[in-house]
Amino acid sequence: MRRIRANAIAILTVAWILGTFYYLWQDNKPQSSPSSASQTRGRSHAQKLVPGRLEIHRDDRTIPLIQQGQLLGGFDEKAYLAGKQLKPGEDPYREHAFNLQESDRLGSERAIRDTRHYRCASLSYDTDLPSTSIIITFHNEARSTLLRTIKSVLMRSPPPLIQEIILIDDFSSDPEDCQLLSQIPKVRCLRNGRREGLIRSRVRGANSASASILTFLDSHCEVNTDWLQPMIQRVKEDHTRVVSPIIDVISLDNFAYLAASADLRGGEDATHKSYRTNCLSSLCRTPVIAGGIFVMDKSWFNHLGQYDTHMDIWGGENFELSFRVWMCGGSLEILPCSRVGHVFRKRHPYDFPEGNALTYIKNTRRAAEVWMDEYKQYYYSARPSAQGKAFGSIADRLTLRRKLNCKPFRWYMENVYPELRVPEQEAVSSVLKQGGLCLETRGTDGLGLAECRGIGANRPQSQVRSLPSGGDCGS
Ligand code: LR7
Ligand code: MN
């Protein structure tokens, strides 16, 4: 009897050990291929990518199979793309700072690898998620990249979640780039009567949005499988959250879709936990977001003062928004189970009416002057040339800060960014470091607030941006 019991205990112990090993093995299993990942996917809204074709699982929230015709309504895609083509002998990089020939060759849609951790596929989301207005502002975007952005949204989102896609044509040379696209169901086109820049354009889009949740996208993105649900879920649970996906890289040369690293601030452990929970606790929090791709509750966006509409063209608004969200009672997150690809460029393909450097200095000075309190000295020591440059009146934004009763920048540094060390007497060219993120000065080149390179960087290096350098996203 005793032996039988001993045997039973031994068997149970072995089973338990095997079970533990199996669980650990599952947890560390490398990313599965798109097709095997989709087989393990039991969720609603799930989509699976088969090379060259998109299948959408039917469920109560997914409109029956989306076919080319239904998806695009009366829109003539071929004519749209053929309307603008690279001329023989023309430099394919000249107009857009990416390889237009490759983008055009790809066409308006393609299968991309599901770059999420395989565990993401088994997360489930509420079946009554609120819908969102997608806001895409652009200035002279290539037709093929713009159309691919729109189609990827329509193909890879549960249709009921997409209330509308609002395009803001920021005074592009050809009004038809935008107008023709409004023949696609759900797509609306607003054209600026003069060049405004992305900040005022986004505000215009947000003001005309009819959904309660706003989703901002750049005009050269491709959203990945189930990109939207994790973000809307997080915002639905707490409307003060502002959430971003992990941003994958679309090569500007050959348009290959490349997975970005997904390491979160807390390292491996935090990453694994959040794959299982969609960030149940504070695992996904980040001090700053890249700024182009995020989801935010509309009333929270309005309550917090939208954007600083005295910022022009490009740059600085992502820092301003990040500081403001944290200091005025919200939070920022990057969700590892949401992935969106973006074409990172090395230069701006468009002009800045006031000049690139002056515009960037104006915008970032406004952010520093309104939000950084005594810490703005680090901005100025990194960018001495910013001193004395015009940045307009910030009275309205200071009033907003007071009205919202926002916390001091010191609070942000100590609570949101405690890993960040400010150089006391150190040379200005030092790096202020924390877990995965850095506030760094680069000689005379600028003050950067971004993921550190090499320390479990959250996003590819091309997403590391320096505050006043005035360069492109990656420079
Ligand atoms: O005058 C303009 N009007 C516009 O509508 C200038 C630009 N734009 C549009 C443009 O067509 C594009 O859709 O604004 C968008 C952003 O401009 P990009 O793509 O030329 O610049 P970017 O990729 O470097 O943009 C990043 O930095 C910007 C700083 O102001 C914004 O925050 C962008 O949203 C941001 N993009 C992202 O965060 C995507 C991820 C990559 C990174 C980093
Ligand atoms: Mn961009």
Side-chain angles (χ1 to χ4, degrees):
M1 193 59 191
R2 225 193 201 161
R3 182 175 291 169
I4 291 172
R5 196 187 297 162
N7 279 346
I9 290 173
I11 288 168
L12 280 176
T13 309
V14 169
W16 181 77
I17 290 171
L18 286 177
T20 307
F21 271 115
Y22 178 74
Y23 179 77
L24 289 175
W25 173 75
Q26 279 284 319
D27 215 30
N28 290 317
K29 206 166 60 166
Q31 173 125 20
S32 34
S33 69
S35 55
S36 65
S38 58
Q39 278 155 18
T40 62
R41 205 167 296 157
R43 317 187 346 62
S44 55
H45 313 323
Q47 305 176 356
K48 62 180 173 184
L49 284 175
V50 177
R53 188 158 73 107
L54 183 86
E55 287 179 64
I56 298 190
H57 286 237
R58 273 185 181 231
D59 66 13
D60 49 346
R61 293 178 51 77
T62 308
I63 287 174
L65 188 67
I66 293 174
Q67 279 161 344
Q68 189 83 330
Q70 284 165 269
L71 185 73
L72 298 184
F75 175 70
D76 184 347
E77 169 182 308
K78 283 208 179 80
Y80 179 76
L81 293 174
K84 279 253 182 74
Q85 295 259 289
L86 195 68
K87 292 174 193 76
E90 216 179 316
D91 173 3
Y93 290 84
R94 192 185 58 84
E95 217 178 320
H96 302 286
F98 55 66
N99 189 341
L100 180 63
Q101 197 167 11
E102 277 303 304
S103 176
D104 288 352
R105 205 177 54 80
L106 267 185
S108 67
E109 65 180 77
R110 59 158 165 177
I112 49 176
R113 188 163 77 85
D114 180 351
T115 50
R116 299 171 303 165
H117 189 277
Y118 77 98
R119 277 190 175 277
C120 297
S122 54
L123 287 177
S124 56
Y125 307 99
D126 294 354
T127 48
D128 61 345
L129 289 176
S131 68
T132 182
S133 297
I134 309 273
I135 296 169
I136 302 172
T137 170
F138 69 94
H139 176 72
N140 286 338
E141 183 61 68
R143 287 188 173 192
S144 51
T145 38
L146 181 57
L147 181 58
R148 234 181 353 261
T149 306
I150 295 167
K151 281 186 80 174
S152 77
V153 169
L154 292 172
M155 293 187 319
R156 299 201 184 93
S157 316
L161 294 191
I162 307 296
Q163 168 85 23
E164 60 192 344
I165 299 179
I166 303 173
L167 304 176
I168 301 94
D169 170 5
D170 190 14
F171 201 54
S172 302
S173 319
D174 183 353
E176 290 207 330
D177 288 354
C178 192
Q179 277 162 13
L180 292 171
L181 290 170
S182 59
Q183 294 163 358
I184 301 175
K186 294 194 183 182
V187 175
R188 290 205 280 131
C189 169
L190 308 174
R191 178 171 163 87
N192 290 340
R194 58 167 192 195
R195 179 87 175 280
E196 299 285 358
L198 72 93
I199 296 119
R200 286 191 289 277
S201 301
R202 280 191 195 153
V203 169
R204 181 172 179 204
N207 285 339
S208 85
S210 60
S212 64
I213 292 191
L214 307 174
T215 300
F216 296 94
L217 275 181
D218 266 18
S219 47
H220 32 255
C221 292
E222 280 165 78
V223 304
N224 211 321
T225 311
D226 289 351
W227 70 294
L228 192 56
Q229 300 95 312
M231 296 199 281
I232 295 193
Q233 177 80 42
R234 291 298 281 172
V235 173
K236 181 194 171 204
E237 286 165 7
D238 177 349
H239 77 284
T240 68
R241 283 181 193 140
V242 177
V243 301
S244 276
I246 288 182
I247 301 169
D248 288 331
V249 176
I250 301 172
S251 161
L252 66 93
D253 295 310
N254 61 14
F255 278 75
Y257 188 103
L258 308 164
S261 154
D263 292 343
L264 297 174
R265 253 176 127 196
E268 274 295 287
D269 192 43
T271 309
H272 278 286
K273 278 192 194 136
S274 24
Y275 287 136
R276 272 188 241 126
T277 61
N278 194 27
C279 315
L280 263 184
S281 58
S282 60
L283 293 171
C284 299
R285 293 188 171 187
T286 177
V288 61
I289 53 170
I293 307 173
F294 63 96
V295 175
M296 187 167 182
D297 182 88
K298 185 180 172 179
S299 57
W300 185 237
F301 180 76
N302 290 337
H303 174 78
L304 285 188
Q306 301 189 320
Y307 271 122
D308 178 352
T309 50
H310 288 101
M311 290 186 176
D312 301 323
I313 307 297
W314 179 99
E317 92 296 339
N318 60 317
F319 295 103
E320 197 270 343
L321 179 76
S322 299
F323 299 156
R324 184 155 45 89
V325 166
W326 277 114
M327 290 163 65
C328 311
S331 62
L332 295 177
E333 296 180 341
I334 294 173
L335 308 187
C337 290
S338 177
R339 296 270 188 163
V340 174
H342 168 261
V343 185
F344 290 88
R345 295 184 282 204
K346 294 187 180 131
R347 65 173 172 88
H348 296 288
Y350 40 76
D351 65 313
F352 285 64
E354 311 283 319
N356 177 337
L358 279 183
T359 303
Y360 198 66
I361 284 175
K362 175 185 172 187
N363 293 353
T364 52
R365 272 202 82 171
R366 292 183 68 83
E369 288 289 338
V370 175
W371 298 102
M372 288 179 77
D373 301 332
E374 69 273 21
Y375 289 81
K376 71 186 178 196
Q377 63 167 303
Y378 299 108
Y379 165 79
Y380 287 114
S381 38
R383 187 64 162 195
S385 63
Q387 308 227 22
K389 298 277 174 7
F391 61 93
S393 166
I394 52 170
D396 287 358
R397 300 306 280 181
L398 289 173
T399 306
L400 172 81
R401 183 174 166 177
R402 218 170 307 119
K403 199 188 81 198
L404 293 174
N405 205 9
C406 307
K407 299 187 178 79
F409 199 75
R410 174 171 294 279
W411 174 89
Y412 171 84
M413 295 293 277
E414 288 173 356
N415 294 277
V416 182
Y417 225 162
E419 314 91 312
L420 191 74
R421 276 176 285 114
V422 175
E424 296 289 335
Q425 305 298 330
E426 290 172 48
V428 171
S429 62
S430 66
V431 175
L432 318 180
K433 229 169 31 188
Q434 6 51 59
L437 285 130
C438 284
L439 181 61
E440 62 178 309
T441 53
R442 293 172 197 152
T444 54
D445 207 35
L447 177 68
L449 186 50
E451 263 85 356
C452 304
R453 295 162 220 203
I455 314 171
N458 210 346
R459 284 169 272 167
Q461 195 191 314
S462 49
Q463 287 172 62
V464 173
R465 295 142 21 99
S466 61
L467 248 176
S469 73
D472 194 8
C473 188
S475 57

